Amino acid sequence: MDKRIARIYRPKVVKFVLNTWPPFWGAGIKITEISEDFRQVSVTLKFRWWNKNANRSHYGGSIFSMTDSIYSLMLMGILREQYFVWDREASINFVKPGVSDLQADFTISQNQLNEIQAQTALGDKHFPEFVTHVKDQEGQVVATIQRKLYVRRKPKYRQQEVVDNLERKTSLS
């Protein structure tokens, strides 16, 4: 994340931007909630005539799109400008046809965050994986999406971490 973006990267701003972003807005995707610490996000997908497929159920691309970049954006909000965060790969398993509005909840736990920070502290790449269940109005799983991200500390922050560790070690000696 760029430092200029980091200054305005707040849950309300991100929510507004995503809800007016043409690929989400046009597909009927809406961010309904982003927690203040970016650790929880809720997304809905309205069931409309323009996002139905030939079988009169949700178009699979819209279901997949409702999960696109959400975990990356969450981690960008948590880790801020010290890290590169990108989607690396994703897969979807369609469990049953979606024929109502759909809901997906995204959560990043403290354990997941600790693991990411530990694995990337010295500049190593880390590829955390997240699973999201898209559910219909009855709470039944319609699709399961698995996303793998790329997370790495930016070079100038890697160097600072190494210097800080060396200073700690020498002060303990």
Side-chain angles (χ1 to χ4, degrees), residues 24-63:
F24 274 17
W25 177 81
I29 298 166
K30 184 175 182 180
I31 306 298
T32 55
E33 181 185 341
I34 301 178
S35 66
E36 284 301 314
D37 61 1
F38 282 102
R39 293 187 191 200
Q40 295 183 355
V41 173
S42 294
V43 179
T44 59
L45 173 60
K46 293 288 185 187
F47 191 49
R48 303 284 190 242
W49 66 268
W50 64 82
N51 60 15
K52 290 181 184 177
N53 62 24
N55 294 314
R56 311 289 294 151
S57 62
H58 267 291
Y59 171 62
S62 295
I63 296 171

Side-chain angles (χ1 to χ4, degrees), residues 63-64 67-71 87-95 106 112 127-134 141 143-149:
I63 296 171
F64 199 58
T67 69
D68 193 20
S69 301
I70 300 298
Y71 279 113
D87 273 333
R88 181 175 170 126
E89 62 185 70
S91 65
I92 188 166
N93 178 29
F94 296 103
V95 177
F106 304 81
Q112 289 170 316
F127 306 103
E129 294 188 28
F130 299 93
V131 175
T132 305
H133 301 287
V134 178
V141 175
T144 300
I145 293 96
Q146 186 171 15
R147 290 201 173 268
K148 182 184 284 189
L149 276 57

Side-chain angles (χ1 to χ4, degrees), residues 1-2 75-76 78-86 113 116-124 126 150-155 157 161:
M1 172 187 314
D2 184 273
L75 280 175
M76 288 170 64
I78 295 166
L79 300 173
R80 310 304 291 170
E81 68 274 359
Q82 293 186 15
Y83 289 81
F84 294 114
V85 181
W86 293 306
L113 190 55
I116 291 166
Q117 290 172 324
Q119 293 295 321
T120 60
L122 298 176
D124 294 331
H126 183 54
Y150 168 100
V151 182
R152 190 172 192 186
R153 190 177 278 251
K154 291 181 179 177
Y157 298 105
E161 182 73 23

